[in-house]
Amino acid sequence: MRMRIRWGLIGSLLIAASLAGCATEKKGERGDIQWPLPPDPPRIRYEKSIEDAKSVLPKKGFFKKVIAVLFGEEAPPHFIRPYGIAVTPGGKLLVSDTELQAVHSLDFGANAYRQVFKIPGGTLQIPIGVAVDSRENLYLSDSGLGRIFQFNPKGVFEKAWTFQFERPTGIAIDPKRQVLYAADTARHRIFAFNLGGEKLFEFGVRGTGEGEFNFPTHIALHPRTGDLYIADSMNFRIEQFSPEGKFIRQFGSSGSHVGNFSKLKGIAVDERGIIYAVDGLFDTVEMFNPEGKFLMNFGKAGNHEGEFWLPGGIAVSGSTIYVADSYNKRVQVFQLTDASNVNGASE
């Protein structure tokens, strides 16, 4: 009788493990969430959400699932407050997490996950901006410590830049010129460095005129021309500069409708020159043509697929768009399905 009970228990656990395996499949990854709405042709499609390390780690075999049911398992590392995003040349996704005080590194090609947080004498405080060079070295701005830190492709600390910022936020790397640009929000200024950490030049003062800033926060680079796009957040606009810091144009203004800005956050520029701007208050991503003309937006407030709650950073790799949906504790992934349908985009 005892033997029958034991095997019956094990059988029940095996069934539970099988059902648990089914339950771990990602739900809600749909291809029918698209923008704009019909009858206009679709241009942006929701693809999936990434919330934790399970998105990248290999799936457990059947017997590992049984062990997990029998003995339990720790929850996989997950996003708490994702903010800055960068994509390496090899497709690795790097996400700064301001509340976890670390950077999530998700290598989908190698099915590997790690956290970057250790620095000499302690750990990161408020990691904000993330950028990578052509060798996949990681550069990170820490707004709390007022420094930029450099790590190798394996996430091992290499050096802390000697330059002391007041409040560094957005950073971006020009791989052709080997220059890193950093926004110091508290100084209302942009700094340019070589990748060894030596300052090359700086530009900007506080103000509302052309080439002036009022709390700049994020930086994006045109992948072909190297032009800089600065999120001039409290002037409610985006300013464009040459790689040498010469003012080119500005667009955007304060307002209560899409096409305007209310809480300008992350920005990105794709190969076609399309500019993507996250508005944290509107809970949407706005798209502009290379001349700054509003094209369309996608996303709205909420916690379902394709909806945002105070989104932060954004990155574009090819036709794939990554958005840090900060207060929904996830990164959402979208696809630009047909660039030729985006009115005003240059080929």
Side-chain angles (χ1 to χ4, degrees):
M1 178 63 71
R2 290 181 180 177
M3 184 65 70
R4 290 179 183 176
I5 292 173
R6 187 178 300 157
W7 279 109
L9 175 61
I10 292 174
S12 298
L13 290 170
L14 289 173
I15 293 171
S18 177
L19 293 174
C22 295
T24 59
E25 295 294 323
K26 288 287 284 184
K27 299 297 181 182
E29 295 190 6
R30 300 164 48 186
D32 60 343
I33 303 177
Q34 302 182 83
W35 296 266
L37 296 174
D40 292 327
R43 299 162 185 170
I44 298 290
R45 183 186 73 243
Y46 168 83
E47 185 173 285
K48 62 181 179 180
S49 293
I50 302 171
E51 300 175 353
D52 53 42
K54 283 195 299 185
S55 302
V56 66
L57 296 176
K59 294 183 178 179
K60 287 184 173 65
F62 179 76
F63 287 103
K64 286 188 176 180
K65 292 176 183 176
V66 172
I67 292 172
V69 170
L70 288 170
F71 303 104
E73 63 177 338
E74 293 184 2
H78 59 279
F79 298 154
I80 300 178
R81 195 74 74 233
Y83 194 81
I85 303 180
V87 182
T88 73
K92 186 187 304 180
L93 182 65
L94 301 169
V95 182
S96 66
D97 193 317
T98 57
E99 192 163 322
L100 186 65
Q101 299 177 309
V103 174
H104 303 271
S105 173
L106 298 95
D107 190 336
F108 294 93
N111 293 121
Y113 170 88
R114 66 166 52 94
Q115 289 180 5
V116 180
F117 59 90
K118 293 183 179 179
I119 56 176
T123 60
L124 300 172
Q125 284 191 9
I126 309 177
I128 298 289
V130 284
V132 290
D133 63 20
S134 57
R135 296 182 179 180
E136 304 209 349
N137 294 304
L138 166 64
Y139 300 79
L140 167 71
S141 66
D142 190 305
S143 187
L145 296 173
R147 305 292 287 276
I148 288 178
F149 298 101
Q150 187 174 333
F151 302 83
N152 71 16
K154 295 183 178 181
V156 178
F157 172 85
E158 288 199 335
K159 65 184 295 185
W161 287 14
T162 58
F163 188 86
Q164 187 69 45
F165 297 88
E166 287 190 32
R167 184 151 60 94
T169 50
I171 59 175
I173 289 178
D174 184 332
K176 297 177 182 178
R177 297 173 178 82
Q178 297 288 289
V179 174
L180 181 146
Y181 300 93
D184 192 328
T185 300
R187 291 184 184 175
H188 314 280
R189 204 156 180 80
I190 307 299
F191 294 87
F193 303 85
N194 63 27
L195 297 187
E198 298 174 339
K199 191 181 78 170
L200 302 175
F201 60 91
E202 59 189 271
F203 61 95
V205 296
R206 189 173 191 180
T208 59
E210 293 183 348
E212 298 176 344
F213 302 112
N214 191 16
F215 296 100
T217 54
H218 294 80
I219 301 177
L221 291 180
H222 193 299
R224 287 185 299 169
T225 67
D227 283 354
L228 288 86
Y229 295 79
I230 312 296
D232 188 12
S233 295
M234 296 308 295
N235 279 329
F236 307 99
R237 65 187 180 187
I238 292 174
E239 294 194 79
Q240 181 182 350
F241 297 84
S242 73
E244 296 74 33
K246 182 179 179 181
F247 175 82
I248 297 175
R249 66 166 58 89
Q250 64 186 38
F251 61 92
S253 60
S254 176
S256 58
H257 303 284
V258 290
N260 302 127
F261 297 126
S262 181
K263 195 175 184 66
L264 179 58
K265 293 282 193 175
I267 55 176
V269 185
D270 69 15
E271 291 279 351
R272 307 163 194 84
I274 299 173
I275 302 149
Y276 304 78
V278 175
D279 195 294
L281 192 60
F282 293 152
D283 293 306
T284 194
V285 178
E286 301 181 339
M287 297 169 60
F288 300 84
N289 75 0
E291 288 71 45
K293 176 185 175 183
F294 175 73
L295 300 174
M296 61 171 286
N297 70 296
F298 61 93
K300 62 179 182 179
N303 55 20
H304 297 296
E305 294 95 339
E307 298 176 348
F308 302 115
W309 184 11
L310 291 177
I314 184 171
V316 177
S317 177
S319 60
T320 304
I321 306 159
Y322 302 86
V323 182
D325 188 9
S326 296
Y327 279 73
N328 279 326
K329 302 182 179 182
R330 63 189 178 184
V331 170
Q332 294 200 63
V333 185
F334 303 84
Q335 290 290 330
L336 178 63
T337 57
D338 187 357
S340 63
N341 279 335
V342 180
N343 180 38
S346 60
E347 296 298 330

